[in-house]
Amino acid sequence: AQSVTQLDSHVSVSEGTPVLLRCNYSSSYSPSLFWYVQHPNKGLQLLLKYTSAATLVKGINGFEAEFKKSETSFHLTKPSAHMSDAAEYFCVVSGQTPGTYKYIFGTGTRLKVLA
Amino acid sequence: GAVVSQHPSRVICKSGTSVKIECRSLDFQATTMFWYRQFPKQSLMLMATSNEGSKATYEQGVEKDKFLINHASLTLSTLTVTSAHPEDSSFYICSARKGSMGQPQHFGDGTRLSIL
């Protein structure tokens, strides 16, 4: 069975400081992992994806995430937060075989950026 | 690339009305489309998965006769909420995936459905 845990429901950072959003996963199969961002009353936008290539994945808007198999983690980072980064972030795990391809969502982390 | 358009963005209607929501992949062919429901301050709940030309697969607890899904082409899926009631009020989001199972889903902007 697959599962994903986002360790923080809320994170607050000051503008210009680093962002760290934590995600741990569980999967019996070789997983695909994704980070999405959702602004209020909007759909989800793909930030980045890991699909068994490079373990350090670079995404849009300066975000990146590192796949660490030994720690079963896929934390999202950004060196310097922008006010526009304030949103809800979802970590997602998906398998790559029939029966495991559905998205399993984390519960989300709400990022607040303080001026 | 990979743009998904969802329409309408907001619907307000009376109880008993049926409402149709469209989901279109604008610049790619979507082998699979998904419909989700999102409650306030919660994550997304998968309602059903649809493949072009075949019947949708509904998740446990989702009423097939209440939420009709049609995936008539590789670029269009529709969700019809039949005889909607206030408890059907929610944020509905579609997504589309091209190619193999490891590919990401691309999401529409959602539809806010309010039943009076």
Side-chain angles (χ1 to χ4, degrees), chain B residues 2 4 12 19 29 36 38 49 53 59 65 67-68 84 89 107:
Chain B
V4 175
I12 302 173
V19 178
Q29 293 186 324
Y36 294 88
Q38 186 178 32
T49 303
E59 294 299 300
D65 297 331
F67 300 101
L68 299 179
S89 298
F107 289 81

Side-chain angles (χ1 to χ4, degrees), chain B residues 1-40:
Chain B
V3 179
V4 175
S5 173
Q6 190 172 337
H7 180 80
S9 58
R10 188 176 181 98
V11 179
I12 302 173
C13 57
K14 294 181 180 179
S15 186
T17 307
S18 291
V19 178
K20 181 186 280 190
I21 302 169
E22 287 190 352
C23 181
R24 293 180 184 272
S25 56
L26 298 185
D27 53 359
F28 66 99
Q29 293 186 324
T31 51
T32 308
M33 286 185 165
F34 304 84
W35 287 95
Y36 294 88
R37 185 172 178 175
Q38 186 178 32
F39 293 99

Side-chain angles (χ1 to χ4, degrees), chain A:
Chain A
Q2 297 177 98
S3 67
V4 59
T5 302
Q6 289 185 245
L7 297 155
D8 307 293
S9 59
H10 293 81
V11 170
S12 291
V13 300
S14 297
E15 190 176 21
T17 65
V19 175
L20 169 64
L21 305 183
R22 299 183 292 166
C23 173
N24 285 95
Y25 70 93
S26 172
S27 178
S28 302
Y29 303 90
S30 179
S32 294
L33 293 158
F34 310 87
W35 274 99
Y36 284 85
V37 60
Q38 184 180 32
H39 289 92
N41 296 309
K42 290 289 188 180
L44 277 66
Q45 180 185 19
L46 179 66
L47 285 176
L48 49 80
K49 62 180 181 179
Y50 166 79
T51 52
S52 75
T55 55
L56 182 61
V57 182
K58 292 189 184 299
I60 62 171
N61 301 337
F63 284 96
E64 62 182 40
E66 186 171 7
F67 174 73
K68 291 187 177 180
K69 188 174 181 179
S70 60
E71 298 176 10
T72 60
S73 69
F74 190 58
H75 301 334
L76 181 71
T77 60
K78 182 173 181 177
S80 176
H82 242 253
M83 296 297 289
S84 59
D85 294 328
E88 188 85 19
Y89 291 79
F90 291 99
C91 181
V92 177
V93 64
S94 173
Q96 297 190 54
T97 57
T100 69
Y101 63 87
K102 294 178 188 175
Y103 271 13
I104 306 298
F105 287 85
T107 49
T109 298
R110 183 164 297 275
L111 176 65
K112 189 173 182 179
V113 181
L114 307 171

